């Protein structure tokens, strides 16, 4: 990595995602009449990206490891409802609410993880089951305990400042959490041995285990991470908006998977990058929210996302093949 | 050096009511290549897995350097220096050479929570290790494994095993999926390993490859040792016949001759 080379950049997992982001932004500027300056600073898509990104990161890491977690769709409302019920309805200290909310994420993550390693059932099916089960549990528990499907929460100032405030009037504080998490994940995944284990695991689980990597433990940890991240997002939402609903969250499943795949993570595992997932999330957010800034009718956004997903995946495929067939030029 | 590095004495293995290995006795010394020949389904894989600690023998003894050993997990066997290299190299196609070489034993620099993966050292060591085996085409540790040829992958996997101190190298059909030239690369690497005093167990059903490197041969038929002999004791055809189950091939020849006679 001593000299700059365009080819080397293209062979990286995030190349496709970075190009999609540029292409989408250029498309909006050229055809949608967006002023780039206004758009870049807008809170709407940044807020959207941050909430999505915190969930997309661990989902992407799980995908690199060869697993899938869709129970995040139920864990977001579960996270917000549990803090609202404990601290709002029952009036417990906010710390207890936070602990219950994140603890629920840990428990569901452990269930997902252990079921995945102990059975040969694909994690897609296992987390589909926990997704549906958690939806039912959250709805019935909420109706049973509070008689309502929507619960109010008044968080103390310090909790609001940390988890749910608007900076500058419109930027959610969760953006900073997201930035910190991107930094943390990028360091661990790309700089430390743990990252190497993750890629080895996704590449060939048996060989990784034979090389002495505790693949089972890693799998459980990753599921705990994704479920807890989802309940964290739900919890921050409840603190910010002073209330929680049992519905919502289902969009996150597909949004997160699209972000991760656009971000260059290989669906079957073993390849991807944190920066790629970041670009994938940004691209998704720009299309989903940026459409409001254009003269384009908002109904087109899903079409754009579909086309973009396809193009990004095709691009990622060809870049990956470039990386595979790459060999340095023969020295004379 | 009087004891063989690895020895099996009257090993049986059955899965429930099904007997897979009958009364296998084998031994391999340092710097020796023993070729395990057998047709598909002869029990080769089960035997390798028993040696590598995946399965425990139902009865019989396993000895290393003359002392009995028992492996509960593959890791135990690996810790004693038994390394298995599988047909496709057991490596990770989408990882770089340097990274995959050190999976599980990553070199780090820095300290405390900021120990980071030392990419430069990893790449340099991996490239050097494989070049010592004469595979000079691998010179950039940042290349992806998937971009290497089958022979290069095998050689890399063998170099990796020896780098981490393997004393017994179990090669599971290393040349099965390779072309002629690639296979000869791998055979050269096997000879180099032998020269370094490693005990090699070479599993194959390609008699030519076995005869090129083997010091000792064992033929496995339906889970039992049908023959065991040293280099030069049997001809190529005799070995092929043995693998196919004795007279089977001779019979086939006779049938073909008859058929040819009736046609003409």
């Amino acid at each position: 990595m001593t000299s700059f080379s365009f080819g080397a950049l293209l062979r990286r997992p995030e190349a496709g995602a970075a190009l999609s982001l540029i292409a989408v932004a250029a498309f909006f500027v050229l055809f949608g009449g967006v002023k780039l300056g206004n758009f870049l600073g807008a809170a709407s898509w940044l807020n959207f990206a941050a909430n999505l990104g915190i969930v997309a990161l661990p989902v992407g890491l799980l995908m690199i490891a060869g697993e899938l977690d869709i129970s995040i769709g139920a864990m977001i409302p579960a996270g917000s409802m549990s803090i609202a019920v404990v601290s709002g309805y029952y009036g417990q200290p906010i710390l207890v609410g936070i602990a219950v909310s994140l603890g629920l994420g840990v428990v569901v993550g452990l269930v997902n993880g252990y079921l995945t390693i102990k059975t040969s059932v694909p994690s897609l099916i296992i987390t589909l089951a926990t997704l549906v089960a958690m939806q039912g549990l959250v709805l019935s528990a909420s109706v049973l305990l509070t008689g309502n499907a929507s619960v109010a929460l008044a968080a103390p100032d310090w909790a609001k400042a940390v988890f749910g405030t608007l900076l500058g009037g419109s930027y959610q504080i969760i953006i900073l959490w997201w930035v910190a998490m991107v930094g943390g994940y990028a360091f661990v995944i790309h700089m430390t041995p743990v990252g190497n284990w993750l890629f080895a695991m996704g590449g060939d689980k048996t060989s990784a285990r034979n090389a002495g990597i505790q693949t089972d433990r890693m799998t459980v940890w990753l599921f705990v991470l994704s479920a807890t991240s989802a309940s964290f997002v739900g919890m921050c939402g409840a603190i910010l908006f002073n209330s929680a609903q049992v519905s919502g969250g289902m969009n996150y499943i597909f949004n997160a998977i699209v972000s991760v795949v656009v971000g260059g993570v290989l669906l079957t595992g073993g390849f991807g990058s944190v920066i790629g997932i970041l670009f994938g999330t940004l691209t998704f957010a720009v299309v989903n929210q940026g459409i409001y800034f254009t003269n384009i009718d908002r109904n087109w956004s899903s079409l754009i996302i579909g086309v973009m997903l396809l193009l990004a995946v095709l691009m990622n495929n060809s870049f990956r093949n470039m990386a595979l067939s790459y060999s340095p030029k023969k020295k004379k | 050096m009087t004891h063989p590095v690895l020895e099996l004495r009257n090993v049986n293995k059955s899965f429930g009511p099904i007997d897979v290995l009958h009364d296998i006795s084998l031994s391999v010394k340092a710097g020796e290549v023993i070729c395990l020949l057998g047709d598909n389904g002869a029990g080769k894989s089960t035997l390798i897995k028993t040696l590598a600690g995946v399965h425990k023998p139902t009865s019989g003894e396993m000895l290393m350097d003359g002392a009995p050993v028992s492996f509960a997990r593959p890791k135990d066997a690996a810790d004693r220096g038994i390394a298995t290299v599988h047909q496709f190299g057991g490596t990770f196609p989408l990882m770089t050479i340097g990274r995959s070489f050190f999976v599980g034993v990553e070199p780090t620099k820095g300290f405390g929570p900021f120990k980071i993966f030392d990419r430069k050292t990893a790449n340099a060591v991996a490239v050097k290790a494989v070049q010592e085996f004469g595979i000079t085409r691998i010179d950039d540790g940042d290349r992806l494994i998937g971009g290497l040829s089958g022979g290069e992958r095998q050689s890399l996997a063998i170099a990796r095993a020896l780098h981490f101190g393997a004393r017994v190298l179990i090669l599971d059909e290393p040349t099965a999926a390779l072309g002629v030239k690639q296979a000869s690369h791998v055979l050269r690497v096997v000879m180099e390993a032998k020269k370094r005093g490693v005990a090699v167990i070479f599993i194959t059903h390609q008699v030519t490859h076995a005869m090129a490197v083997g010091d000792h041969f064992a033929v496995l038929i339906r889970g039992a040792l049908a023959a065991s002999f040293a280099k030069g004791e049997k001809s190529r055809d005799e070995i092929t016949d043995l693998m196919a189950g004795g007279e089977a091939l001779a019979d086939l020849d006779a049938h073909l001759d008859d058929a040819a006679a009736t046609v003409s």
Side-chain angles (χ1 to χ4, degrees):
Chain A
M1 214 67 66
T2 42
S3 62
F4 174 83
S5 122
F6 190 63
L9 276 185
L10 282 189
R11 283 190 298 273
R12 300 184 61 82
E14 55 268 16
L19 289 183
S20 327
L21 181 58
I22 295 169
V24 164
F27 180 80
F28 278 3
V29 169
L30 292 178
F31 298 99
V34 174
K35 291 203 189 69
L36 204 60
N38 291 350
F39 178 65
L40 283 182
S44 65
W45 68 273
L46 266 179
N47 289 339
F48 181 87
N51 281 286
L52 176 59
I54 289 179
V55 183
L57 283 166
V59 167
L61 300 189
L62 266 170
M63 202 183 278
I64 293 176
E67 306 289 350
L68 204 54
D69 183 2
I70 61 171
S71 70
I72 49 163
M75 285 317 293
I76 291 170
S80 62
M81 279 309 285
S82 48
I83 188 171
V85 168
V86 170
S87 298
Y89 188 79
Y90 287 108
Q92 294 299 309
I94 194 79
L95 271 178
V96 177
I98 292 172
V100 170
S101 174
L102 297 182
L104 188 65
V106 173
V107 169
V108 173
L110 286 175
V111 170
N112 285 335
Y114 274 103
L115 285 176
T116 301
I117 59 171
K118 295 293 176 199
T119 69
S120 55
V121 180
S123 51
L124 171 69
I125 304 299
I126 288 173
T127 56
L128 178 64
T130 43
L131 168 78
V132 178
M134 281 309 292
Q135 271 183 316
L137 183 70
V138 170
L139 180 60
S140 352
S142 158
V143 170
L144 201 69
L145 296 175
T146 69
N148 210 326
S150 168
V151 179
L153 168 73
D157 285 345
W158 73 265
K160 274 199 152 296
V162 177
F163 298 111
T165 187
L166 293 173
L167 300 170
S170 52
Y171 298 95
Q172 293 177 16
I173 184 95
I174 203 168
I175 297 171
L176 296 183
W177 281 95
W178 181 43
V179 171
M181 285 180 188
V182 169
Y185 283 125
F187 175 77
V188 172
I189 299 308
H190 297 297
M191 307 286 273
T192 71
V194 176
N196 219 31
W197 303 344
L198 180 74
F199 287 105
M201 223 173 118
D204 179 352
K205 195 164 273 180
T206 316
S207 296
R209 193 180 297 129
N210 288 343
I213 294 166
Q214 292 184 310
T215 53
D216 283 354
R217 188 185 291 183
M218 294 264 295
T219 307
V220 173
W221 268 107
L222 286 166
F223 275 109
V224 168
L225 205 59
S226 69
T228 313
S229 300
S231 60
F232 177 80
V233 168
M235 180 192 90
C236 291
I239 295 177
L240 175 65
F241 298 117
N242 301 321
S243 76
Q245 285 81 34
V246 289
S247 59
M250 292 308 253
N251 280 337
Y252 275 87
I253 302 172
F254 282 112
N255 295 0
I257 293 176
V258 170
S259 303
V260 166
V261 172
V262 168
V265 176
L266 184 59
L267 201 60
T268 46
F271 196 70
S273 74
V274 171
I275 303 303
I277 300 171
L278 168 69
F279 280 134
T281 313
L282 285 174
T283 312
F284 189 90
V286 166
V287 177
N288 195 284
Q289 299 294 306
I291 197 101
Y292 295 113
F293 289 79
T294 67
N295 313 322
I296 306 167
D297 183 40
R298 124 134 217 110
N299 297 337
W300 291 104
S301 71
S302 288
L303 175 69
I304 299 176
I305 289 176
V307 171
M308 184 195 70
L309 175 65
L310 212 55
L311 287 179
V313 171
L314 289 175
M315 250 191 314
N316 287 337
N317 261 335
S318 43
F319 289 147
R320 192 160 53 242
N321 286 335
M322 274 172 60
L324 274 176
S325 59
Y326 163 75
S327 64
K329 295 220 167 54
K330 287 260 154 56
K331 285 173 197 114
K332 291 261 163 92
Chain B
M1 295 300 283
T2 46
H3 294 295
V5 181
L6 184 66
E7 187 176 2
L8 292 184
R9 279 190 199 157
N10 311 103
V11 164
N12 288 288
K13 173 73 198 172
S14 46
F15 296 102
I18 303 160
D19 295 331
V20 182
L21 298 177
H22 306 283
D23 207 23
I24 305 277
S25 296
L26 266 184
S27 70
V28 57
K29 296 192 193 72
E32 187 182 54
V33 179
I34 175 164
C35 291
L36 211 58
L37 298 154
D39 206 354
N40 295 342
K44 286 177 298 183
S45 309
T46 310
L47 183 52
I48 304 166
K49 285 182 179 161
T50 309
L51 291 170
V54 178
H55 300 318
K56 270 185 108 161
T58 312
S59 67
E61 258 191 314
M62 243 172 110
L63 300 95
M64 273 192 95
D65 304 313
V69 284
S70 166
F71 304 130
R73 303 177 296 149
K75 184 98 184 4
D76 296 344
D79 288 344
R80 293 296 302 265
I82 299 179
T84 314
V85 173
H86 294 284
Q87 190 172 339
F88 298 105
T91 42
F92 313 100
L94 289 165
M95 289 177 81
T96 66
I97 292 170
R99 277 182 171 270
S100 72
F101 196 86
F102 283 98
V103 161
V105 281
E106 291 80 2
T108 53
K109 56 184 179 188
F111 50 87
F114 298 106
K115 269 209 183 81
I116 66 170
F117 177 71
D118 189 349
R119 181 175 133 269
K120 233 178 213 156
T121 310
N123 286 357
V125 172
V127 168
K128 183 162 171 284
V130 68
Q131 288 201 339
E132 279 172 8
F133 281 95
I135 310 293
T136 47
R137 283 191 51 210
I138 297 179
D139 54 6
D140 179 355
D142 274 330
R143 275 177 70 187
L144 298 184
I145 299 286
L148 303 179
S149 73
E152 286 169 342
R153 277 201 226 186
Q154 281 290 334
S155 308
L156 184 66
I158 296 172
R160 177 179 195 272
L162 296 196
H163 179 82
F164 292 107
R167 299 178 59 217
V168 181
L169 192 59
I170 302 173
L171 303 174
D172 182 7
E173 305 260 8
T175 56
L178 301 182
V180 178
K181 203 166 167 202
Q182 297 280 331
S184 73
H185 277 304
V186 173
L187 294 178
R188 212 181 308 150
V189 171
V190 173
M191 291 306 283
E192 175 65 29
K194 172 188 155 155
K195 216 187 293 167
R196 293 193 190 180
V198 176
V200 181
I201 300 174
F202 185 102
I203 290 97
T204 185
H205 56 245
Q206 275 152 313
V207 181
T208 329
H209 294 161
M211 291 186 73
V213 294
D215 298 307
H216 211 94
F217 302 85
V219 179
L220 209 59
I221 295 177
R222 273 178 255 114
L225 271 188
S228 175
F229 47 91
K231 190 176 187 156
E233 284 181 12
K234 279 199 167 45
S235 76
R236 203 194 132 148
D237 285 348
E238 283 176 304
I239 301 176
T240 314
D241 283 353
L242 267 172
M243 277 171 64
E247 306 89 325
L249 272 197
D251 279 359
L252 185 64
D253 273 348
H255 282 305
L256 287 177
D257 285 346
D258 287 351
T262 18
V263 169
S264 56

